[in-house]
Each structure stands twice: as structure tokens, then as C-alpha cells.
Amino acid sequence: MQAALRRRLGGLRRALRGPGPEAAPRPRCVGPGVPPALRCWSCGSPLRGAEGPPHFCPGCRALQPPEPRPDLFRLMECDRSFRIDPQRLQRRFRSLQRAVHPDRFGQRPPKEQYYSEQHSSLINKAYQTLLNPLSRGLYLLELNGVEPAQETDCDADSVFLTEIMEINERLAEPKNEAILEEIETLIKVKQEELTKEVTAAFERDDLQEAKKLLAKMKYFANLEDKLKNKKIPS
Amino acid sequence: QVEVDENGKIVDARFKTFGCGSAIASSSLATEWVKGKTVDEALKIKNTDIAKELCLPPVKLHCSMLAEDAIKAALADYRLKQDPNKEEPEK
């Protein structure tokens, strides 16, 4: 009985575990600030080196707390790259949530339920961050120690700003379905273009260029939000 | 936009700003302040005055700079239209 349990657990843990420590060198700016607990909070069994949360105690199967500052790419089993496979990301997301979602911990002790919430929330955050090109790009910059463009940076080119201003002005006009459709298409096209350029910039490791392009993408993301708000019937 | 009479006094001003509340407020205040001033007086308005009046938090100080720049740009444009022979640097 114990052996069968251990085998199932081993299989589950292997599925959940991310790539090993030899996969990529640890960057300076991300990593656990506090060493993870070395023993299970529930039964006291020693925990093997925390490799890719979430993990369950080998002794009593209790869910352990997530690491303090996990690498989201590692968590979602994606290479640390701007290029991702959205299907693979989604599959990983679903499989992780199947293991840790609070719905599955309703009968467990409060502490474990709390850890389940933390894991689930972290996985949501990781998924959303990596799914969206803008947030993915900004996160990559952060991992590489590059600050995202600040509001006070004044080197945005005026041609670009004029373009944004014009779209803003059109959005400020009274609601017109046809115009909104047009603007929506324009924004989508621009976002696709920029995403391609950002991909290329990251590929050749040009982080400064990626930073500039991501700043432009932010403008379009804001426009997209404005447009969505405009479409909501008032 | 500014409207200036024959005596060099700003009689009307309008703004259009897309951005955060601080940016809009700064532009709005700048518009109110320039009305009734001469062009030279209006050029003296500093972003620090605007920021102080609005009690802008430090993170939003650059919004008041935007308003000051806008005043200067509008008036520079006005001056350029008054004297088309004068060379004006591109902003």
C-alpha cells in the first residue's frame, strides 16, 4: 500500500517539478530571499531541496508553502524566453491548478488550505504574466535587471506620440460603432507589429530596444482599455 | 491653444490632455492662469508653482512640467506666427 502510494506521489511530483538546477544559472535579482522550510510543517519529515513548487511532503502528502519569490518561467516550465508556446503554457497551468486548487483542499486543515490558496493564486499570476506579451516582456526585463521605462522618460519619439494622440482624440468622440471597430483593428495590428519587433529584439538580446518597444506597447494597451470602456453600454 | 489680442494679452486658452488626473489638472490650472496675462507674464509660470498649487505628490511632478512645456510651446507657436521670418527651434 505504501509503495503504491509512494509511486503515485513520485509520479505526481515528477510531473510538477520544473527543470533542474543545471538548466539555467540563477539570476541576481530573483530567487528565494528566505530559504524554504527544510521540514514538513505537518509531520516534520525532512523535505528534499525545493525544486519547482508546488510540492507535497514525501511523508504525509501535505501541501507545502510556495517559495517566496519563484521564477515564473520555471514554475510554468517554460524556457526563459520571449517566445512561448501558448498551448503548452495553458496545459501546464491547468495541470498545476488541478493539483493545488482550493476546491480540492476543502477537507484539509486550515493551514494547508491557506497554502493551496497561495499556490493557486501564484499560478494564476504566473499564467497571466506569461500569456500576455506586454507583461511577459516586462517580466523578462525585470529578470535581466533592466528597469521598465518610467513615466518621466522623455525620449519617446514625437511621431509616435502624435499617433497616440490622434487615436485618443478619435476615442474621445461620441460613440460610433464603425469608428470603434476601425480603431480596434488598428490597435490590434499595431500590437501584433510591436510584438514581432519585441520578439526580434529579445532574440538578439537587445534589451534596451525591447524596453523602448515595450513602452510603446504600454501605450497601446492603455488605448485598448479605453476602447473596452467605451464599448461598455453606459 | 491660446488666443491673444492686439495688446499681447491672452484672452482665451484651451487644453486637451490625455493622461492621469494630475496631468489633466495641471493643464487645466495652467489654462486658467494664462488667461488675462501677457505673453511674457505667462512665460514666467513655472511647473513648481503648478505643482505647489495642486499639492502634487513627488511621483506626479513631471505632470506639472508637461503643463509648463505646453504653455511655452503654445506661446512659441504664437510668436512664430507673429513673425514668420524669425527662426524658431523645433521642440
Side-chain angles (χ1 to χ4, degrees):
Chain A
M1 170 72 160
Q2 278 285 64
L5 202 64
R6 230 177 265 135
R7 246 181 281 128
R8 257 186 62 205
L9 195 57
L12 177 69
R13 287 183 65 216
R14 260 194 301 279
L16 294 172
R17 212 176 286 177
E22 65 279 4
R26 266 184 192 271
R28 288 170 298 141
C29 52
V30 164
V34 172
L38 296 170
R39 292 191 166 272
C40 170
W41 58 271
S42 176
C43 72
S45 301
L47 302 171
R48 285 211 297 270
E51 276 307 331
H55 56 286
F56 297 80
C57 170
C60 66
R61 290 185 65 199
L63 180 63
Q64 302 303 308
E67 11 173 293
R69 290 192 58 204
D71 180 321
L72 303 183
F73 282 98
R74 190 163 56 91
L75 176 61
M76 301 306 284
E77 274 186 350
C78 289
D79 294 331
R80 189 186 287 180
S81 154
F82 188 71
R83 262 193 212 282
I84 55 137
D85 179 347
Q87 256 95 355
R88 221 185 127 209
L89 180 67
Q90 190 181 67
R91 277 199 300 272
R92 172 72 174 160
F93 168 69
R94 288 189 179 156
S95 114
L96 281 173
Q97 288 291 17
R98 262 196 296 277
V100 302
H101 196 273
D103 284 352
R104 303 195 61 212
F105 286 77
Q107 304 303 319
R108 306 294 293 166
K111 194 162 187 175
E112 204 172 348
Q113 288 188 357
Y114 174 64
Y115 291 147
S116 149
E117 281 167 32
Q118 286 193 307
H119 276 291
S120 192
S121 165
L122 173 65
I123 291 158
N124 280 340
K125 174 181 153 194
Y127 179 59
Q128 291 304 327
T129 304
L130 298 187
L131 190 65
N132 175 273
L134 176 58
S135 53
R136 191 190 324 140
L138 291 174
Y139 181 61
L140 265 172
L141 285 185
E142 183 190 319
L143 288 178
N144 283 288
V146 177
E147 281 259 329
Q150 299 300 318
E151 288 179 335
T152 39
D153 289 351
C154 300
D155 60 346
D157 66 270
S158 47
V159 171
F160 175 74
L161 288 178
T162 310
E163 190 188 344
I164 299 294
M165 177 91 171
E166 278 165 14
I167 302 176
N168 264 307
E169 285 181 329
R170 291 180 75 200
L171 271 178
E173 284 166 19
K175 191 164 158 176
N176 173 323
E177 293 294 338
I179 291 187
L180 289 183
E181 285 292 323
E182 208 187 298
I183 298 175
E184 191 174 15
T185 310
L186 171 66
I187 293 175
K188 268 205 183 75
V189 166
K190 289 286 175 181
Q191 284 177 321
E192 276 167 15
E193 266 175 35
L194 281 169
T195 304
K196 280 204 187 86
E197 287 177 52
V198 172
T199 309
F202 272 115
E203 225 123 74
R204 58 172 195 271
D205 230 358
D206 189 347
L207 297 182
Q208 289 306 316
E209 181 64 17
K211 173 176 164 172
K212 285 197 196 115
L213 291 165
L214 287 166
K216 289 189 178 179
M217 276 181 85
K218 178 78 171 130
Y219 277 99
F220 281 106
N222 291 342
L223 285 175
E224 198 182 6
D225 284 340
K226 276 192 191 154
L227 189 129
K228 278 191 189 140
N229 285 331
K230 189 106 177 149
K231 280 171 135 183
I232 296 171
S234 39
Chain B
Q1 283 179 318
V2 289
E3 193 185 321
V4 187
D5 69 12
E6 61 279 0
N7 298 317
K9 201 160 97 161
I10 298 167
V11 294
D12 195 18
R14 271 180 248 192
F15 76 99
K16 196 187 274 187
T17 299
F18 298 106
C20 68
S22 300
I24 298 171
S26 300
S27 314
S28 178
L29 187 62
T31 311
E32 289 308 306
W33 275 2
V34 299
K35 284 185 197 165
K37 287 196 161 68
T38 65
V39 171
D40 288 320
E41 284 167 354
L43 285 173
K44 292 206 183 102
I45 295 175
K46 296 247 15 91
N47 68 312
T48 42
D49 303 325
I50 297 173
K52 198 164 152 193
E53 179 69 20
L54 292 172
C55 305
L56 292 182
V59 56
K60 291 292 178 184
L61 286 178
H62 61 283
C63 292
S64 61
M65 199 60 227
L66 179 80
E68 186 193 313
D69 286 348
I71 296 173
K72 294 195 156 63
L75 295 175
D77 189 61
Y78 160 75
R79 286 233 158 108
L80 188 64
K81 287 176 175 152
Q82 294 304 104
D83 187 359
N85 301 320
K86 198 156 74 162
E87 277 273 325
E88 281 288 345
E90 272 296 339
K91 185 146 175 73

